[in-house]
Amino acid sequence: MSHAQPRQDTGNADVTLTPLATFSGLQRLPLIALSHNSLFPSLVIGPRAVTIRVLRRHVLAYDDLASISLSYRFGERLTFTPRQSWRNFTASFASREEAAKAVAALVDFGAPVDGKALALIN
């Protein structure tokens, strides 16, 4: 895991993305979703936090996240793992380019992005 330094001045503008679907699940069981949203998924990457819409909006401050990881099951998936929670949150993207856009925005804001996700933009 890396607490990446911002690459450039983003002007503190939020980056809003529409993933294919969003999920919440159990941290120790990555293939089991507690809830999902494929009708109105949303991921907003801001200067201090990420807001992910599953059934409701969840605001995850970067300081409260243990890691943001990338996986390749059923599309490109970014998983946000809070430090003190039994749940995690995942945004699934259809294309590598959309996932790379999300990772680049997260790095720009100094989010705790892991090495596999960083490799997506390098």
Side-chain angles (χ1 to χ4, degrees):
M1 176 179 70
S2 168
H3 288 277
Q5 295 298 317
R7 293 184 301 139
Q8 62 187 7
D9 179 23
T10 59
N12 292 333
D14 290 349
V15 176
T16 302
L17 301 167
T18 305
L20 281 178
T22 53
F23 303 89
S24 72
L26 299 173
Q27 284 192 19
R28 307 263 186 237
L29 301 169
L31 294 177
I32 297 176
L34 296 176
S35 58
H36 76 281
N37 183 346
S38 58
L39 293 176
F40 302 107
S42 173
L43 180 67
V44 179
I45 301 168
R48 292 187 183 92
V50 156
T51 303
I52 188 167
R53 181 178 178 185
V54 183
L55 294 178
R56 65 179 182 86
R57 284 183 171 74
H58 301 272
V59 178
L60 308 168
Y62 299 133
D63 290 340
D64 295 335
L65 289 173
S67 69
I68 301 170
S69 57
L70 179 72
S71 63
Y72 300 104
R73 284 182 232 120
F74 311 113
E76 310 291 329
R77 294 174 40 177
L78 282 176
T79 300
F80 302 86
T81 304
R83 291 183 193 278
Q84 297 185 8
S85 178
W86 49 272
R87 293 172 63 184
N88 60 18
F89 301 91
T90 301
S92 181
F93 297 93
S95 73
R96 191 170 182 87
E97 292 77 24
E98 282 294 309
K101 182 178 176 181
V103 171
L106 290 162
V107 168
D108 288 344
F109 290 126
V113 178
D114 75 359
K116 191 173 182 180
L118 283 174
L120 187 64
I121 61 172
N122 292 330

